Amino acid sequence: MAEPAYTIPAFRQRTAEETEEYQRVTKNVGKGLAVIQEELHRMRISTKAQVDSLAIQKEVRDMMYKRSDLLDEIPKMPDFLLALRPHTVWEKTPVKLFCTVQGNPRPVVQWYKGGVPVNPLNAPGKYKIENKYGVHSLIISRCVVSDTAEYSAVATNPHGTATSKATVTVKKPAGTGESCHLGLVPRLTEIHASKLEVSLLDRFSVSFGVEGGSISLVCSMVVVPDLPNVPPLAQWYRDDKLLKPGKLAEMSVGGGEACLTLPHLAKDDEGLYTLRIFTKDGTAEHSAYLFVSDAAPSAAGAPGAPMSVKAYDINSDYVLVAWKPPNTVNEAAITGYFVDRCEAGSDTWVQCNDAPVKVCKYPVHGLSVGHSYRFRVRAVNNAGISRPSRKSDKVTALDAAESERLQGTEEGVPSAPGQVIATRNTKSSVFVQWEPPKHAKNLMGYYIDGRAVGSKEWFPCNHKPFKHTRFVVHGLIPGETYVFRVQAVNVFGLSDESQESSPIAVESALATPSAPFGITMLSCDGSSMVLAWKSPKHCGGSKVNAYYIDKRNADTSVWKEVNLTPITERICTVDNLTEGNFYEFKIQAANLAGVGVPSAPSAPLKCEAWTMEEPGPAYDLSFSEVRGHSLVVLWKAPVYTGASAVTGYLVEMAKKGSSEFVTLTQEAVSHRYLQVKNLEEGESYVFKVRAVNGNGVGKPSQLSQPVCAKALPGTKEIVAGVDEETGDIFLSLEACEICETSKFVWSKNYKPIGDCPRISTSTKGRTSRLTFINPDKDDLGKYSAVVTDTDGVSSSYTLTEDALNTMLELSHAIRNPIVPLKHGLNYEILEKGHVRFWLQAVKLSPSVSYRFIVNDKEITSAEGQKISHDVSTGIIQMTVDLFTRANEGTYTVQIHDGKAKTQSSLVLVGDVFKAALKEAEFQRKEHIRKQGPHFSQYLYFTVTEDCTVMLACNVANVKKETTFHWYKEDEEIVPETPPNVMSGACAIPLPLFSRKDQGVFKATVSDDRGKDTSLLDISGQVFDDIINALAQNAGASASELVLQCTPEGIRLQCYMNYYTEEMKTIWKHKESKIASSEKMRIGGTAEMAWMQICDPSDKEKGHYSIEISDGVKTHTRTFDLSGQAYTDAYEEYLRLKAAAFAEKNRGRVVGGLPDVVTIMEEKSLSLTCTVWGEPIPEVTWFKNEQEVASCEHTKVTFDGGKFASLIINKVTPDDSGKYSINVRNKYGGEFVEITVSVYKHGEQIPEPKLGHPKAATSVPQKSSAPSSKAPTPAPPKAQTPAPLMKSPTPASTPVPKSPTPVPKSPTPTPKSATPAPKSPTPTPKSPTPTMGRGVKSPTPPRFMKSPTPPRK
């Protein structure tokens, strides 16, 4: 069978010219793809409109043939006999929509355009509404493209509402940019911004800014086609004046939004802002008001800045500057204005007027021709000067033929505006209108002020003069009551205030409620259905008090009333249904304003008995306590429970627009609420609930409305507290918004609290209080409150046992008030031994009464005891002058102050009383002691910088006759400087403090008035404290360790201000503590501590340190004895050791020779001495430096290598002279001189003349010791040895005055054995010759701790 030929539809057929045009276009179709897509979109819309029109026409024809089954006298809801039909008309032509409706009583018809009521008064001449003989019509004259919309006629009577809709399409004729043939492909033309289709979405709302800040007004939109290089054409207006882009107004269009940014806000920017966008069908507009309030004043109470500064009457040297005054509400009246000018290109402002000008205009003189200027103004009042206004536009001083001149010559401010009327507008705004003043006098505008009822403070509603006599005040608190007043403004200032308006509560304007929604079936038994629905989103400013339900078979269009009497609940059982049929329902809500529009028809619901075993759906999902990250979802139990009782519920959640639901409950919850946490702030969510019974999980509930996780602005939480007057425990909630119909609904565990004898509720203004009556553990739980007819104001509070116990204690304290005490009853011992008993209350009234009870007996003020109180400090006290054993017992103070009372007791017995009595007696004695000379500060010690311990004390009440004495162990100490008692301070030094200074020190001060004594026992802890104080000073002054070599070894020395062996000093070698031994010797002098390494070896190399502890801090000094330092020290030690060996074994005179000998002639003289040396020295005698030979007259002997003698027989005067003995061996020798004087018999014994001792000479040493290269002479007058050539001691170290042999030196001493024990001659007591004898050996006496003398 042949395929039928394709027939071109009529609307696709083209003429030859059209075909040619089509071919031309298709060749360049790629150039206009965006235009083609746009036209295809428009074609789809047009086709859909035609299809809808045909459907509507068919429905109208069907309805015209329907006949009413009821008589006219029977009540009947509205019904359209002839419905509206769609129209397509040309631009600038009229169109008439008409319909016929019947009902009993006769319905009232309201016309709507796009859901907005049509009001002919808003556009005079545009619309005309008629009603003739039951035919209702709407006539639109001179249609424009923007009239394209869906129009509807809503007919309403007491029995219901009916709606008829139709679409009007307005087209442009051919040649105006739109083809009149839908079937043609359009020509490719340049796309202009005005040919775009623009739909405004999120629009900027009423905004509030502050001077000096910034704000952006943003409006999002949908643009078709959305071309990046062709943004929509947008214009911004302020108070119908076109704004231009600049530094003060930044504009941008693109990316799906239009934005106006005001970066430097001033009150000049306040006004009604309009965004106008040009579209293909005309313009799309949106307007909202911007309020700009005053910035913080420069001084408290200073006025706001002036505004609208402008220059008029511009001349070559003269300009008239005018401005608008600021609004003054609570500030002092403005006394004048200062005008400033600034030359263009400069930032320097110059004040033009010396004194404030009182009117809002000022002539500025002294301008330079051709120069440009800007001006600003500052307002002045008694509190200070305002911030400067925004600077004016730049003006140039020229001889202008024409310039704008300031109009008006009438003097004085306008009269006060007339009656002010405030009416409801929205839940946060009020519409205010007023009568203009009778005497306008070149009126600039009006200032509107508001005040909350009950407050004395007015606030400005606008900050820039408003020109019209009606104004919408925004930003008000919902539910609050306000009054308003108006002032007129001109250049001379503000008029008197108008009379106040009547008080008005901030509520939405009264209107019928919006349509209910969310109709769902909860149960069906085959002949009836249980329906539920959600309340209207907008109640119309009045409580919804009734619902009306209509039904119809799904296959018919006739609606029938279900109820004639109103339904108050949002659940209803519809009876008399036919099983198996599908039904549709619609519902209307009613309030005081009337019956609202009906809801959209429900989905067709089948009347079929439910027999499933699982439960039906839960319903009426609602939300409470919506916060940024949490909310509470609540629901009602299913009507149909299934085969068994409901045991729990499962809750699911998804983000708005998502189909991925998350189960929030792992196990079914038994209660009908759930707190959902961890939400994303600002995100919207939807919920559904499933009921569970023993047979399974039931149907899901209807999806909830989307809820945004965001707290309402100003949201407050429930507060628990205790009434300060009654002591009642309560929960309180202050609503952030409220309306006239709002109620507070309290619940416990989300179950409404009805009439309960345990609880009472009360509401005052925006605050509701739930009060507990005799609360106990049964009242524990979670309490919540919901404010009806608001946007979800709610909160909850969990009452725990701890919180309840705390509030019960506070409640008991309020109901049984006590006088709160800062301090309970206590006592203190005063001087003279008086005892004060006292307590302190937080607050006392002048009418307070009290009494003291001691041992159950009330006492009053009497001799020896005084009772008093001080209201300002809250102190009540009793003073007992003589405190004795009779005062032992219990003390109580009882206080009554109004209704409050309290008492406080003090038990003063046993050890506590004994301690108090002892202290009282001590203070009594102290008082007596202080009547005469006494110590104001008893003995104490201090340590000076030079480590001298000072015992000091302070004395008082002294006179010239007062004496002061020091004692130690009862033995008086007489200081070098007598104490000066008149100075008030006495002190005695204890230099070189050590253990020898331990003991009891006493100081006395006395005169004819008495005597006082102070003791200080320097032992135990006191002694340790002194030593620690010395150690602190010494440790801080300690030098670094220095090295000193001796014949016995290597010594490390630490110099300090003072050293004594009682100090806690520790020597360490490689972090190991060193104990004093034969190898390591530890000692010190008054100025240094030392540690000597005897006979050192490589084992003694390493790091050495000394630690000086003062009980708090440890002072450490170190020395590294290793490497080259050790090598140099060891060589020096060997050299000194060899020199000491030589010094020990050289020849010397041990003793026996006098310095001077006086002898009478003819007598025999024997000069005998003991000599010593190893090996045995040689002995030579000299007379006057000539060697003496042994002869009969002069006999020289040397016995046993120890005793040398020179014997002169029968001396003569010629024997007088200087004799000397030279004792010498290989290590050296000694030369000793003796002066001999011979006188004749009978002559006076001559004065002896001492000879001058000579230094003994040393002989070259034959020993192979390392130190044998250098002799060791000892000059007679020098006590300091030659410097040690190889000693590593720093140059700054003081050189000792004598060499430093170790204590075990073999040099003969009184306590050591003689080197030649076989000699029968005892060792002399002192082996050291006198200084005058030229002693060679500098060995010091053994009683010294260290041979090193103190340094200078």
Side-chain angles (χ1 to χ4, degrees), residues 75 87 117 163 240 267 298 374 395 405 435 465 664 678 692 775 817 1019 1058 1073 1183 1233 1273 1276 1282:
H87 291 267
T163 303
D240 295 330
K267 289 186 293 186
S298 56
R374 296 182 186 271
V395 296
R405 296 184 176 275
E435 295 178 357
L664 301 176
N678 302 321
V692 180
S1019 62
Y1058 178 66
K1073 184 178 178 181
K1183 176 183 178 185
E1233 294 180 344

Side-chain angles (χ1 to χ4, degrees), residues 272-335:
L272 181 67
Y273 282 78
T274 300
L275 169 63
R276 181 172 298 159
I277 298 181
F278 292 87
T279 70
K280 182 175 68 67
D281 296 329
T283 59
E285 297 183 0
H286 172 66
S287 300
Y289 210 89
L290 170 63
F291 295 87
V292 181
S293 59
D294 288 299
S298 56
M307 71 212 77
S308 303
V309 179
K310 190 173 181 179
Y312 298 88
D313 303 343
I314 303 170
N315 291 282
S316 60
D317 63 346
Y318 163 89
V319 164
L320 179 63
V321 179
W323 58 92
K324 293 181 180 179
N327 189 9
T328 54
V329 181
N330 300 309
E331 301 84 6
I334 293 176
T335 57

Side-chain angles (χ1 to χ4, degrees), residues 84 100 158 202 297 321 389 413 447 462 481 547 580 662 676 683 722 861 881 937 967 1131 1149 1180 1186 1255 1271 1319:
L84 297 178
T100 303
D202 296 330
V321 179
S389 68
V413 298
Y447 280 128
N462 64 320
T481 303
Y547 291 96
V662 178
V676 184
E683 188 68 58
V722 181
S861 291
D881 293 345
Q937 185 174 6
Y967 298 90
E1131 291 180 357
V1149 177
T1180 305
Q1186 299 295 322
S1319 173

Side-chain angles (χ1 to χ4, degrees), residues 577-622:
L577 302 179
T578 303
E579 187 170 7
N581 286 357
F582 286 85
Y583 292 91
E584 294 180 357
F585 300 89
K586 63 181 182 179
I587 304 174
Q588 294 172 278
N591 63 4
L592 291 177
V595 180
V597 295
S599 67
S602 69
L605 303 175
K606 186 177 182 181
C607 183
E608 183 179 19
W610 286 6
T611 59
M612 66 271 196
E613 296 181 348
E614 297 82 6
Y619 70 101
D620 199 15
L621 272 65
S622 61

Side-chain angles (χ1 to χ4, degrees), residues 148-217:
T148 300
E150 182 184 67
Y151 291 82
S152 59
V154 179
T156 306
N157 70 3
H159 303 293
T161 300
T163 303
S164 179
K165 300 179 181 179
T167 301
V168 174
T169 304
V170 182
K171 298 301 233 178
K172 291 184 178 181
T176 60
E178 180 179 350
S179 175
C180 59
H181 299 286
L182 298 178
L184 291 179
V185 176
R187 298 181 182 181
L188 292 178
T189 58
E190 182 181 357
I191 299 179
H192 190 267
S194 62
K195 295 183 179 181
L196 302 176
E197 290 186 359
V198 181
S199 300
L200 301 182
L201 297 179
D202 296 330
R203 312 179 185 206
F204 56 90
S205 59
V206 174
S207 304
F208 299 87
V210 180
E211 271 188 311
S214 63
I215 198 168
S216 295
L217 306 180

Side-chain angles (χ1 to χ4, degrees), residues 380-664:
V380 184
N381 68 1
N382 295 334
I385 302 177
S386 74
R387 293 160 52 97
S389 68
R390 174 179 284 178
K391 58 186 178 182
S392 69
D393 294 333
K394 183 171 62 177
V395 296
T396 304
L398 293 173
D399 284 326
E402 294 183 3
S403 64
E404 187 176 0
R405 296 184 176 275
L406 187 63
Q407 300 298 321
T409 58
E410 292 188 71
E411 298 288 332
V413 298
S415 59
Q419 182 182 9
V420 180
I421 300 174
T423 56
R424 291 165 56 169
N425 188 51
T426 69
K427 66 178 183 180
S428 62
S429 64
V430 168
F431 182 75
V432 180
Q433 54 187 347
W434 57 91
E435 295 178 357
K438 293 181 180 180
H439 304 287
K441 296 184 179 180
N442 302 110
L443 186 71
M444 288 182 176
Y446 301 93
Y447 280 128
I448 302 95
D449 302 332
R451 175 176 61 85
V453 173
S455 172
K456 296 181 180 179
E457 295 291 328
W458 289 88
F459 60 88
C461 299
N462 64 320
H463 305 85
K464 176 182 176 183
F466 187 73
K467 294 183 178 180
H468 305 288
T469 57
R470 59 187 183 277
F471 187 77
V472 178
V473 180
H474 289 273
L476 303 178
I477 300 175
E480 189 65 79
T481 303
Y482 295 89
V483 294
F484 299 91
R485 70 184 184 189
V486 182
Q487 286 178 283
V489 184
N490 69 0
V491 294
F492 292 95
L494 278 67
S495 72
D496 294 334
E497 294 94 350
S498 68
Q499 293 184 354
E500 296 179 7
S501 69
S502 300
I504 183 171
V506 183
E507 306 285 352
S508 298
L510 193 61
T512 57
S514 59
F517 62 97
I519 302 173
T520 183
M521 181 170 62
L522 304 180
S523 178
C524 181
D525 60 5
S527 62
S528 64
M529 294 183 185
V530 179
L531 302 180
W533 58 90
K534 298 186 179 188
S535 56
K537 293 182 179 179
H538 305 287
C539 66
S542 175
K543 180 181 179 182
V544 175
N545 53 19
Y547 291 96
Y548 297 95
I549 305 174
D550 293 342
K551 70 176 180 179
R552 72 177 178 185
N553 285 328
D555 56 354
T556 67
S557 59
V558 179
W559 291 93
K560 296 182 180 180
E561 296 92 343
V562 172
N563 62 306
L564 296 179
T565 58
I567 299 173
T568 57
E569 301 295 331
R570 289 183 289 109
I571 186 171
C572 176
T573 302
V574 181
D575 298 316
N576 302 321
L577 302 179
T578 303
E579 187 170 7
N581 286 357
F582 286 85
Y583 292 91
E584 294 180 357
F585 300 89
K586 63 181 182 179
I587 304 174
Q588 294 172 278
N591 63 4
L592 291 177
V595 180
V597 295
S599 67
S602 69
L605 303 175
K606 186 177 182 181
C607 183
E608 183 179 19
W610 286 6
T611 59
M612 66 271 196
E613 296 181 348
E614 297 82 6
Y619 70 101
D620 199 15
L621 272 65
S622 61
F623 301 98
S624 177
E625 304 160 42
V626 180
R627 301 294 185 265
H629 300 284
S630 65
L631 58 81
V632 176
V633 57
L634 305 98
W635 59 90
K636 292 182 179 179
V639 174
Y640 179 81
T641 60
S644 59
V646 174
T647 58
Y649 300 90
L650 299 175
V651 183
E652 299 177 28
M653 176 187 75
K655 290 186 178 181
K656 179 183 177 182
S658 172
S659 59
E660 298 179 359
F661 279 83
V662 178
T663 302
L664 301 176

